[in-house]
Amino acid sequence: MFTSPFTLVLSGGGMKGLAHIGVLRALDEQGLTPSLVIGTSIGSLVGATWASGMSWADMSVRARAIRRRDIFQIAHADMALRRMRAPAIYRRDPLDHLLASLIGDVMFDQLKHQLLVNTVDINSGSQVLWGRPGLRKVRVADAVFASCALPGILPPREVGGRYCIDGAVVDTLPVVAAAGAQQPILAVDVGGSRVVRTEIEAGGFAATYMRALEIVMQSLTSRSLTTWNEPPLVLVRPRVDHIPMFAFDHTDELLEEGYRSARAALVQMNANGAMTTGVYPRTETLVSIDPLRCIGCGVCVSMAPLVFQMTPAGKAQVLTEQQIWSPVDGSYVAHCPTGAISAKPFEPEPEPARIRPQSRSSRELPGPS
């Protein structure tokens, strides 16, 4: 059962983060209100907009109206005059105007809901969570701008005397920052990509940069969650891997998928009863290896020695095929270089239908003459 109070953690992920609005819709329909929101990059933008008092319905309307020019306008003058010393490829004023219209000119103490914004001090390399005690007397819009400032894409922002950039550099899904609250966590991850891309090498600088960022986000999140114990954490991963990070023509799909995935997770948690520790939801999964594809490289054994072992013939085999998986389990499937490992939901075989014995009187009735 998932109940309040809880912490909502919203990841970075470019425009894929519009799915966070659908998550807020699902929570609202269930009567669930987070007592704390922690956001990175677009997760901080969505979280700050909600924390300032805007409803998910109004946020959906605003999201559908956003165009590329509302965020990304090339800084032609800086690029021409300062060249390699230009602070970023894109200008800062479009995003400033957008944040002013969504959040206004407020400090953290003036928000309707508690908010933390994840950033990184570009000079010290330290993580800075604006909104914590001692880090609240700054403009929320400045902290959010900094959290959205991908290196080289948007310029660093001075916040409280520090020059800060996107918090995804160190933690795209800052669940560790939520652990101190000692209450359940609902974490929404749209940052990484668990699908194989093709021809990235031919797509130029932007394609390579974005793909590298996806890989970094996925790696950082996996590292945070693999050994997670407490408090209980419900991980929601909307199916948005196929959508580019800076696509502006998938808004309706993102809003709907965020809603669907969060609603499905909440329904499953309510059906499964109380949570203890670790990552949820959990499902029964069947793991198998195709011996014809297995080349005996041992990657799976090194990643999951409690799941796999090597046979005398030099092939990998599964120790226990039926397993209980959380959303962070099974990374070895994608890391198998030959795709020999497969996983599918476990479906128990249906019990054979029982044949009702005929009554004695019916058996003794004579047949037709």
Side-chain angles (χ1 to χ4, degrees):
M1 177 69 70
F2 194 83
T3 59
S4 296
F6 69 97
T7 300
L8 177 63
V9 179
L10 304 177
S11 79
M15 298 309 296
K16 293 190 289 186
L18 294 179
H20 295 322
I21 301 173
V23 173
L24 291 170
R25 173 190 170 192
L27 292 174
D28 184 60
E29 289 184 356
Q30 294 292 318
L32 295 169
T33 302
S35 57
L36 170 65
V37 177
I38 306 176
T40 296
S41 197
I42 193 167
S44 74
L45 190 155
V46 172
T49 303
W50 178 82
S52 68
M54 189 179 294
S55 69
W56 66 263
D58 289 339
M59 292 167 66
S60 298
V61 173
R62 292 298 304 270
R64 292 187 179 97
I66 291 177
R67 300 293 180 264
R68 184 177 297 274
R69 64 179 178 274
D70 297 325
I71 301 176
F72 299 117
Q73 294 183 23
I74 295 178
H76 291 289
D78 281 339
M79 297 287 288
L81 298 175
R82 304 175 68 179
R83 300 183 181 240
M84 293 300 293
R85 294 185 63 84
I89 296 174
Y90 294 104
R91 294 163 47 189
R92 68 192 70 195
D93 44 314
L95 181 56
D96 272 331
H97 293 153
L98 178 63
L99 293 175
S101 69
L102 294 174
I103 303 169
D105 188 24
V106 297
M107 303 287 192
F108 279 87
D109 289 331
Q110 296 173 292
L111 293 172
K112 295 185 177 181
H113 303 281
Q114 190 175 359
L115 172 74
L116 297 182
V117 174
N118 183 34
T119 68
V120 173
D121 184 321
I122 188 64
N123 290 303
S124 70
S126 60
Q127 183 180 30
V128 184
L129 286 156
W130 299 101
R132 277 186 167 171
L135 298 171
R136 301 179 62 81
K137 297 186 181 301
V138 298
R139 293 175 68 248
V140 176
D142 285 334
V144 173
F145 185 103
S147 189
C148 293
L150 278 170
I153 303 297
L154 289 166
R157 172 57 55 92
E158 182 181 1
V159 189
R162 302 168 180 257
Y163 282 90
C164 295
I165 59 171
D166 192 344
V169 170
V170 297
D171 197 353
T172 187
L173 187 70
V175 293
V176 174
Q182 288 301 307
Q183 60 188 21
I185 299 169
L186 182 71
V188 188
D189 176 24
V190 299
S193 176
R194 287 153 290 278
V195 299
V196 176
R197 305 290 190 193
T198 58
E199 299 183 354
I200 294 295
E201 71 283 356
F205 159 77
T208 302
Y209 182 89
M210 290 299 107
R211 180 53 176 161
L213 187 61
E214 283 183 338
I215 295 170
V216 169
M217 287 181 171
Q218 184 174 332
S219 178
L220 290 173
T221 299
S222 177
R223 187 178 306 169
S224 298
L225 295 176
T226 299
T227 58
W228 185 269
N229 286 318
E230 54 183 349
L233 185 152
V234 176
L235 182 62
V236 177
R237 278 180 165 159
R239 298 170 185 166
V240 297
D241 289 358
H242 62 288
I243 299 176
M245 288 185 66
F246 294 122
F248 286 76
D249 55 351
H250 292 266
T251 300
D252 285 328
E253 180 183 356
L254 289 165
L255 295 173
E256 189 58 34
E257 176 54 22
Y259 171 72
R260 183 210 63 78
S261 58
R263 189 172 183 275
L266 292 172
V267 168
Q268 184 172 349
M269 294 311 304
N270 290 336
N272 288 350
M275 297 184 294
T276 54
T277 60
V279 181
Y280 294 83
R282 295 172 180 171
T283 56
E284 290 188 85
T285 305
L286 198 64
V287 179
S288 60
I289 293 180
D290 183 347
L292 298 178
R293 289 189 174 188
C294 178
I295 58 175
C297 66
V299 170
C300 57
V301 177
S302 64
M303 293 183 67
L306 299 180
V307 179
F308 302 97
Q309 69 178 7
M310 299 302 295
T311 68
K315 299 281 189 175
Q317 70 176 17
V318 183
L319 293 173
T320 304
E321 291 187 346
Q322 187 178 341
Q323 300 175 25
I324 304 296
W325 272 15
S326 78
V328 297
D329 290 319
S331 60
Y332 45 74
V333 175
H335 284 278
C336 177
T338 60
I341 306 173
S342 61
K344 63 180 180 180
F346 174 73
E347 297 178 358
E349 294 183 4
E351 294 184 5
R354 295 182 178 179
I355 302 175
R356 288 186 64 184
Q358 293 179 318
S359 66
R360 182 175 180 181
S361 59
S362 64
R363 291 198 303 268
E364 293 177 349
L365 288 176
S369 57

